[in-house]
Amino acid sequence: MTEIVPATDPSFLDYAPAPESTSILHLKDSYGLFINGAFVPGHGTPFASISPATETHIAEIATATPADVDAAVAAARKAYQKTWSRLSGSDRGKYLFRIARLIQERARELAVAETLDNGKPIKESRDVDVPLVAAWFFYYAGWADKLDHAGLGANPQALGVAAQIIPWNFPLLMLAWKIAPALAAGNTVVLKPAETTSLTALLFAEIVQQAELPDGVVNIVTGAGETGAALVRHPDVNKVAFTGSTAVGREIAKAVAGTGKKVTLELGGKAANIVFDDAPIDQAIEGIVNGIFFNQGHVCCAGSRLLVQENIHDEVVDRLKARLATLRLGDPLDKNTDIGAINSREQLDRIRELSNVGEAEGAERWTAPCVIPETGFWFAPTIFDNVSTSSRIAREEIFGPVLSVLTFRTPAEAIAKANNTPYGLSAGIWSDKGSKILAVADKLRAGVIWANTFNRFDPASPFGGFKESGYGREGGRQGLAAYLRAAPTPTPPSPKVRISPYSERRKPGSPRTLTNGVAE
Amino acid sequence: MESPVSSHTVSSAAADAAVVLAPAERAVRILGGELTERSLRLHLEGLSGVDAVGLEQRAEALGTRSIKTTSKAWALDKIIGLIDLTTLEGADTPGKVRSLVAKGLTPDPSDPTTPRVAAVCVYGDMVPDAVAALGVAHGDPDDGMVSVAAVATAFPSGRASLRVKLADTADAVAAGADEIDMVIDRGAFLAGRYGQVFEQIVAVKEACRREDGSSASLKVILETGELNTYDNVRRASWLAILAGGDFIKTSTGKVAPAATLPVTLLMLEVVRDWNRLTGERIGVKPAGGIRTSKDAIKYLVTVAETVGEQWLQPHLFRFGASSLLNDVLLQRQKLTTGRYSGPDYVTLD
Amino acid sequence: MSRLAVPKTYKLYIGGAFPRSESGRSYEITTAKGAFLANAAQASRKDARDAVVAARNAQSGWSNATAYNRGQVLYRIAELLEGRHAQFVEEVRASEGVTAASAAAQVDEAIDTWVWYAGWADKYVQVAGSGNPVSGPYFNLSVPEPTGVVAIVAPQGASSLLGLVSVLAPALVSGNTVVVVADHAHPLSAISLAEVLATSDVPGGVVNILTGSPAEIAPWLASHADVNALDLTGAGALEWIELQIAAADTLKRVVEPEPGVPARSLDRILAFTETKTVWHTKALL
């Protein structure tokens, strides 16, 4: 049984390059803001969007000044009053169905653009992001004429103009999470994509035009944090929806205090992925990999803390390392790439810094063997073993392909460690025992619990966090209700007949235990 | 040589538990002490469970690998060299077997660079015909020769006495079979009589021994379509390896579903775990239902990414297939000529 | 010279195919003023039997499709119907004797009805299901699921297309398969709708459409042991209490007759569902 692959042969596992062609894209050299149905120049200093995999220039993007934001909000307000709020739910739904179909038709183009601009592997943008984007619009399209079933009673009302700010990790998907329910509920929107990933939002603006959506219903303003701040603070905005860091979310919560604006915040996380010794082990390994290395770990709900039962720690870590050695890091446009580029130099610096801290704090660092390309921003999949609960890498969100491994001995300890964080977005549980899964899920303080799976998303399923991971839910009926308020109800007539309290009906002399329903 | 277990029927669990099993070398090494029905059962039932959703998702993900140009050319030739070209019909004749052998030796008469298949796989009574037809080309695929594999043990149902199964095996080996593809007793397995299944494999393994002390290679067919659940497939895979199987094989091809990618992935995971545990290398053979190059390449990817590329050799991985070969030849012609070929340009065996 | 038209042969729709009635019978369809329009197949009890077999065979595939997928498939029907808008307006106008504007309004409403019900496919479970706070260490969840094969008598006498769609769509949303007896007097748009279904993504056998006499066919469907629910919406003119009694033999779910075209409603979806409650223990130790 000798090796039959001669050394001169290229390894089969190298595969041959299988890059997705970018010829499908027809990008412009520069993009303006999308306000009132048209692309208009921004009045701030434009900035370049680059490909994080190659550091090459993709397009120039406009910066919206406060005046530009003002114009966008005014367009949204006008569209809300003149057209969108007057349309039937059925017609709003039809527009959203159109958008869903246009996304399905242009799926490949959108996937290539997303991968080029964001650095995520094409197989993820193609198989996860873009299909979910279409699904999100399809799902909420169906809600537009069924608002009475949103759970707020009959004839719920839209809020008005929604200010929406999204992050760079799932640019188009986060756009869909924000825009689809807002429009279905009857709101108009001004959306600001992240500075480093504006491209697909601007392609989406073209889709909005193709769908002949009334002008001003969707407005897209590009720029950095100042643009977002101007949008959030704008007095004519009725709803703020933000996905991003907890630090910025906290600022937003303070900024809108007292303004009556309704707020949804989808913030950071430090999810525990709990692996019990009765877990389906091979699937648990896949789940750990998917939990933290999906999208280079740029996932707010990433399973960044692996809590593994102590008696299987060595086996799990060994198997995990063996599995990570098969991950392919490189050109995100290659269909066989598992790990793409880090989205920006700034993010790469942060991941490096926290990893160095982890090492300095005494955790054992292991890095998957892979060749790092010369240009672009890259970070090889990394595991920190023997991490203590007090270590910074066990507490702070790294937002990169870095896994911290901790151990536990009993379910109670696993729960205590999992909950020992200011965050509460998600958690994973791996076990073959249903009663344990459900009991642990009960005790975890997190908004989404995955059992024997991880990082699953569906438009029908509400997503959002406990504690400092934010509030409000996106997805499902709850995600629709987040863009609605109950109809102002007339005061019901007071009842003619009043039911006497128990105490008044009791025989004289019997012990009085209740007065007006309250125990004495 | 009726074994004590094979003749037993359902009896009390306590009596079952105490039954002493044949001291198969691997099982003794791993399970330790005296090998009994109970120790085997405890081991198999203690294996980690399989989450079907996760397993199938992993298989699907492996199936999305995109294999192009040089890798594809390598893969196509590799697939041919891993095929057990098979005919298992009641209507088989010496002529049919000769035709099969000719196809296996010269898959594409228009292109002499086309590799030979690993083996031809026939019913036991056809082994002499296959051996005769191969002539000097009969031998180890590692040496560029073609082996003869015979299905045995009352294939495909396995419903016969152990005596008959052993005679079936010994006949095929005596006639020159290099490899024996046996079926396990699925009825006994599903009834929980693991010891009985184990003993039969041990006995068949013994029957694979030739007079000169060498041994035909033993492939153990689990018939995963009848075992039904992934947990059963994992247990049966361990059982077959512990009993001494050189290969674990998915299916007879006579039961649907035959080989699937998730089942093969699961069996490869067992083989990988066995290798981690002992350093030994066990072969895997998906059989039945793999008809296109595209599907076969998914299997190569799954092998390479689960147990490693070194498993892509005839002593560690085989495809049990018949129509797959011609599809690979069509793809091969496409790569060579740059245009799509048609079924008139490959030979029918 | 004007061109001589090629008229269409109208047949049944069973299992994704368009057979003639096994009985070989047909009946004349006329305009409101009595002029000949076409011959429609007159389905027999054996056609009804075949249709139930087809519906049963298609049931597990359709109900096991994801809710998202069912929603997309139903929406696709609306898309294709929109593309054949003019054909349906003409058919409805000719058969029912209504104005073109009225026929167009009916077709519009039929399309919008498909869209409305399509949207429910991945929502009705969330709206009608529940997590139940039982006392004790149990996870307890109730979800509706399809009942199985639904036999329907479509609204009779007017609004033939909209009437059919209004009873067909809600039964399909949750994953039931359907055998429907079309409007006896105006069956042409039903068979044209079958052509739309056959070229959309609806799997064969999910919808089976019979034309002919409801009075003749309905009793066989009502008493058929492999039918799970009976929608008598269009059976007001029949001996429908007898049908309901026949259905009681196998305790079919029955929707009683209703005049005119039934309004869109969640209730019609839920009428053909069964609520399943799952208990599961919860324990840390």
Side-chain angles (χ1 to χ4, degrees):
Chain A
M1 299 200 191
T2 52
E3 293 296 319
I4 57 155
V5 187
T8 50
D9 264 12
S11 161
F12 176 62
L13 265 182
D14 285 345
Y15 305 141
E20 184 71 69
S21 169
T22 54
S23 65
I24 194 171
L25 287 178
H26 305 287
L27 300 177
K28 299 181 216 167
D29 293 336
S30 67
Y31 284 88
L33 313 172
F34 184 69
I35 295 175
N36 207 28
F39 283 98
V40 298
H43 294 89
T45 311
F47 58 96
S49 198
I50 63 161
S51 163
T54 56
E55 299 179 60
T56 51
H57 178 92
I58 300 173
E60 194 173 78
I61 310 286
T63 291
T65 61
D68 293 325
V69 169
D70 203 38
V73 172
R77 174 61 58 192
K78 187 170 151 220
Y80 177 70
Q81 287 169 340
K82 303 267 172 165
T83 58
W84 200 243
S85 67
R86 298 184 182 186
L87 279 183
S88 68
S90 161
D91 283 350
R92 285 200 313 273
K94 284 181 187 172
Y95 278 116
L96 291 170
F97 278 122
R98 283 188 187 180
I99 291 173
R101 288 305 206 200
L102 286 163
I103 288 166
Q104 287 176 327
E105 287 156 16
R106 296 178 64 175
R108 183 166 154 189
E109 177 193 351
L110 292 169
V112 172
E114 193 77 306
T115 286
L116 187 67
D117 198 28
N118 169 280
K120 67 173 62 200
I122 186 75
K123 73 170 188 184
E124 289 180 13
S125 52
R126 179 195 65 198
D127 297 343
V128 181
D129 294 55
V130 174
L132 276 175
V133 170
W136 232 270
F137 277 99
F138 208 95
Y139 176 80
Y140 280 106
W143 266 121
D145 54 10
K146 302 177 181 66
L147 301 186
D148 284 357
H149 297 278
L152 298 170
N155 302 313
Q157 313 287 305
L159 301 173
V161 175
Q164 307 181 316
I165 299 175
I166 56 172
W168 47 260
N169 57 344
F170 295 92
L172 195 58
L173 182 56
M174 290 301 105
L175 174 148
W177 283 30
K178 296 285 180 284
I179 292 182
L183 264 48
N187 305 274
T188 57
V189 307
V190 179
L191 176 131
K192 190 196 88 68
E195 189 182 1
T196 58
T197 55
S198 307
L199 193 61
T200 44
L202 296 162
L203 293 183
F204 178 79
E206 294 176 5
I207 287 175
V208 164
Q209 289 177 324
Q210 288 176 337
E212 295 174 4
L213 198 70
D215 293 344
V217 172
V218 169
N219 305 276
I220 292 171
V221 292
T222 45
E226 303 80 58
T227 305
L231 182 55
V232 166
R233 292 170 188 274
H234 197 289
D236 202 28
V237 154
N238 306 95
K239 160 89 187 185
V240 174
F242 171 77
T243 297
S245 73
T246 292
V248 175
R250 200 175 275 127
E251 281 177 39
I252 289 174
K254 287 176 182 170
V256 300
T259 63
K261 293 174 188 172
K262 201 165 170 176
V263 183
T264 300
L265 298 173
E266 210 76 82
L267 309 176
K270 193 72 193 177
N273 203 357
I274 305 170
V275 181
F276 287 102
D277 61 4
D278 58 357
I281 195 72
D282 289 309
Q283 288 72 50
I285 298 296
E286 289 306 315
I288 295 165
V289 171
N290 178 47
I292 184 62
F293 300 113
F294 173 63
N295 202 31
Q296 296 77 246
H298 301 330
V299 185
C300 46
C301 51
S304 51
R305 285 186 297 152
L306 174 62
L307 287 177
V308 58
Q309 197 157 356
E310 206 163 301
N311 55 339
I312 57 165
H313 165 271
D314 293 355
E315 187 187 356
V316 166
V317 171
D318 281 357
R319 285 170 179 264
L320 193 54
K321 288 176 180 172
R323 174 69 179 88
L324 292 186
T326 69
L327 289 178
R328 303 160 55 84
L329 178 145
D331 180 6
L333 283 165
D334 191 301
K335 289 174 228 170
N336 292 321
T337 291
D338 299 313
I339 304 283
I342 301 301
N343 182 250
S344 64
R345 182 177 298 283
E346 186 190 5
Q347 185 59 26
L348 179 61
D349 289 344
R350 175 170 169 78
I351 297 168
R352 282 178 174 157
E353 182 204 325
L354 274 167
S355 299
N356 292 339
V357 167
E359 219 169 345
E361 285 179 337
E364 266 172 54
R365 181 174 183 159
W366 181 89
T367 299
C370 49
V371 180
I372 301 290
E374 283 175 9
T375 58
F377 315 130
W378 307 92
F379 198 88
T382 296
I383 300 175
F384 280 102
D385 201 359
N386 292 326
V387 176
S388 66
T389 45
S390 59
S391 174
R392 270 182 70 192
I393 56 168
R395 302 199 64 78
E396 291 183 30
E397 186 175 37
I398 300 173
F399 224 64
V402 180
L403 178 69
S404 299
V405 183
L406 298 89
T407 60
F408 67 89
R409 292 158 298 176
T410 64
E413 186 182 359
I415 292 163
K417 284 185 169 171
N419 286 338
N420 184 15
T421 164
Y423 294 114
L425 189 49
S426 68
I429 307 169
W430 297 84
S431 166
D432 247 7
K433 193 167 180 176
S435 61
K436 182 158 65 185
I437 289 172
L438 291 169
V440 171
D442 259 8
K443 305 276 187 215
L444 291 176
R445 300 270 297 154
V448 183
I449 313 287
W450 287 291
N452 293 335
T453 189
F454 210 95
N455 276 343
R456 297 285 148 199
F457 309 97
D458 192 289
S461 176
F463 180 95
F466 282 31
K467 302 194 279 185
E468 289 191 26
S469 289
Y471 37 71
R473 291 293 176 270
E474 295 184 305
R477 186 164 62 160
Q478 291 82 346
L480 181 73
Y483 286 92
L484 288 170
R485 59 192 157 95
T489 46
T491 317
S494 55
K496 291 276 192 298
V497 183
R498 182 170 166 274
I499 299 169
S500 308
Y502 287 123
S503 55
E504 292 174 23
R505 287 181 291 166
R506 286 181 186 278
K507 287 177 191 157
S510 66
R512 284 172 61 97
T513 54
L514 292 166
T515 305
N516 293 331
V518 178
E520 280 184 325
Chain B
M1 58 178 289
E2 196 77 61
S3 92
V5 179
S6 62
S7 61
H8 92 174
T9 51
V10 181
S11 55
S12 81
D16 276 357
V19 170
V20 176
L21 303 177
E25 183 265 336
R26 285 180 188 153
V28 170
R29 184 150 39 93
I30 298 305
L31 274 55
E34 190 180 55
L35 198 60
T36 61
E37 176 90 32
R38 173 182 287 142
S39 65
L40 179 65
R41 173 183 299 279
L42 281 176
H43 180 76
L44 295 179
E45 290 178 351
L47 295 170
S48 156
V50 181
D51 186 80
V53 175
L55 175 72
E56 289 173 5
Q57 281 169 349
R58 172 70 179 142
E60 198 186 344
L62 287 164
T64 66
R65 289 293 194 210
S66 179
I67 308 302
K68 302 281 187 209
T69 60
T70 51
S71 290
K72 186 166 184 184
W74 185 89
L76 292 175
D77 279 5
K78 180 53 66 180
I79 291 165
I80 296 172
L82 294 173
I83 286 178
D84 279 3
L85 195 60
T86 301
T87 184
L88 295 169
E89 300 300 331
D92 284 345
T93 58
K96 165 76 185 172
V97 171
R98 279 196 297 276
S99 165
L100 184 83
V101 167
K103 176 83 173 180
L105 289 172
T106 314
D108 187 348
S110 70
D111 183 352
T113 67
T114 312
R116 290 170 171 174
V117 300
V120 291
C121 181
V122 296
Y123 269 113
D125 62 333
M126 291 295 168
V127 169
D129 298 299
V131 170
L134 280 168
V136 293
H138 182 200
D140 192 318
D142 279 355
D143 305 326
M145 305 292 180
V146 174
S147 290
V148 175
V151 296
T153 69
F155 180 96
S157 71
R159 295 259 65 86
S161 71
L162 180 62
R163 196 171 60 239
V164 170
K165 293 180 183 181
L166 296 178
D168 196 10
T169 307
D171 271 4
V173 174
D178 308 285
E179 303 166 3
I180 294 295
D181 289 25
M182 72 167 288
V183 292
I184 66 164
D185 185 340
R186 286 88 75 188
F189 184 91
L190 290 170
R193 301 199 302 271
Y194 298 141
Q196 182 176 349
V197 181
F198 181 88
E199 295 270 280
Q200 290 194 5
I201 298 171
V202 173
V204 173
K205 169 97 177 166
E206 190 57 36
C208 285
R209 208 179 285 278
R210 303 189 187 92
E211 283 179 2
D212 65 1
S214 66
S215 205
S217 171
L218 180 62
K219 306 198 196 95
V220 182
I221 302 173
L222 309 181
E223 197 65 302
T224 53
E226 289 185 346
L227 298 185
N228 194 259
T229 70
Y230 292 123
D231 284 333
N232 277 346
V233 172
R234 172 169 279 182
R235 284 178 191 177
S237 298
W238 273 94
L239 185 152
I241 294 170
L242 286 169
D246 299 302
F247 257 81
I248 47 178
K249 174 176 169 183
T250 60
S251 327
T252 60
K254 307 291 185 190
V255 166
T260 66
L261 198 56
V263 153
T264 308
L265 167 61
L266 176 56
M267 289 164 64
L268 286 162
E269 285 172 349
V270 173
V271 162
R272 176 203 60 199
D273 289 350
W274 182 261
N275 182 252
R276 280 166 55 92
L277 193 64
T278 66
E280 292 172 358
R281 301 199 289 186
I282 305 294
V284 175
K285 177 179 172 184
I290 305 167
R291 295 191 180 85
T292 65
S293 310
K294 194 176 174 184
D295 279 348
I297 288 175
K298 291 178 182 178
Y299 282 83
L300 293 193
V301 167
T302 302
V303 171
E305 297 207 17
T306 307
V307 283
E309 223 172 311
Q310 68 273 24
W311 245 262
L312 292 176
Q313 53 148 305
H315 286 284
L316 291 174
F317 192 76
R318 296 283 177 88
F319 289 107
S322 44
S323 59
L324 169 64
L325 179 56
N326 270 350
D327 189 73
V328 176
L329 296 177
L330 289 174
Q331 298 303 318
R332 212 171 168 275
Q333 290 174 3
K334 157 75 172 61
L335 276 187
T336 313
T337 64
R339 56 183 169 75
Y340 291 105
S341 189
D344 287 351
Y345 300 90
V346 290
T347 59
L348 295 175
D349 56 280
Chain C
M1 270 184 69
S2 67
R3 183 180 165 276
L4 189 60
V6 181
K8 180 162 82 185
T9 305
Y10 289 85
K11 298 190 279 188
L12 306 176
Y13 183 53
I14 298 175
F18 290 89
R20 291 193 169 85
S21 169
E22 64 76 38
S23 66
R25 300 176 304 173
S26 66
Y27 66 110
E28 199 170 287
I29 308 302
T30 63
T31 66
K33 290 178 180 163
F36 175 77
L37 271 177
N39 288 313
Q42 187 170 357
S44 67
R45 66 178 170 84
K46 290 186 181 174
D47 293 319
R49 173 201 64 190
D50 293 348
V52 171
V53 170
R56 176 60 64 195
N57 287 341
Q59 215 278 317
S60 74
W62 180 241
S63 62
N64 287 330
T66 63
Y68 176 55
N69 181 245
R70 279 202 308 278
Q72 294 220 24
V73 168
L74 296 179
Y75 179 76
R76 177 84 178 147
I77 298 170
E79 288 184 339
L80 296 193
L81 205 49
E82 185 87 47
R84 292 168 71 163
H85 195 277
Q87 177 201 341
F88 279 92
V89 169
E90 181 51 30
E91 247 165 14
V92 166
R93 193 195 57 73
S95 173
E96 296 179 20
V98 296
T99 64
S102 164
Q106 187 189 146
V107 175
D108 288 349
E109 185 68 10
I111 294 168
D112 288 359
T113 298
W114 279 117
V115 173
W116 193 80
Y117 279 112
W120 271 118
D122 53 10
K123 298 174 188 69
Y124 86 96
V125 171
Q126 200 181 38
V127 170
S130 59
N132 310 313
V134 295
S135 300
Y138 303 101
F139 168 89
N140 187 285
L141 189 73
S142 294
V143 285
E145 60 178 57
T147 187
V149 173
V150 180
I152 303 175
V153 179
Q156 303 287 313
S159 300
S160 57
L161 176 67
L162 179 59
L164 177 62
V165 170
S166 298
V167 291
L168 193 51
L172 295 175
V173 165
S174 65
N176 297 295
T177 54
V178 168
V179 176
V180 60
V181 186
D183 185 339
H184 177 68
H186 312 295
L188 302 190
S189 59
I191 294 305
S192 293
L193 180 68
E195 292 165 9
V196 168
L197 297 172
T199 52
S200 68
D201 301 325
V202 182
V206 168
V207 178
N208 303 277
I209 299 178
L210 303 176
T211 55
S213 161
E216 177 189 348
I217 305 166
W220 294 102
L221 292 171
S223 64
H224 197 306
D226 204 27
V227 168
N228 301 95
L230 186 64
D231 181 352
L232 296 175
T233 298
L238 308 180
E239 296 291 339
W240 64 268
I241 297 176
E242 291 305 315
L243 295 174
Q244 199 168 2
I245 290 169
D249 265 340
T250 52
L251 294 171
K252 292 179 181 64
R253 285 74 179 122
V254 176
V255 172
E256 293 188 358
E258 185 179 331
V261 172
R264 300 172 194 166
S265 78
L266 177 60
D267 288 350
R268 284 198 85 83
I269 298 172
L270 298 179
F272 307 112
T273 62
E274 311 286 343
T275 294
K276 176 182 288 172
T277 298
V278 179
W279 293 67
H280 195 302
T281 53
K282 296 195 283 193
L284 273 188
L285 303 179

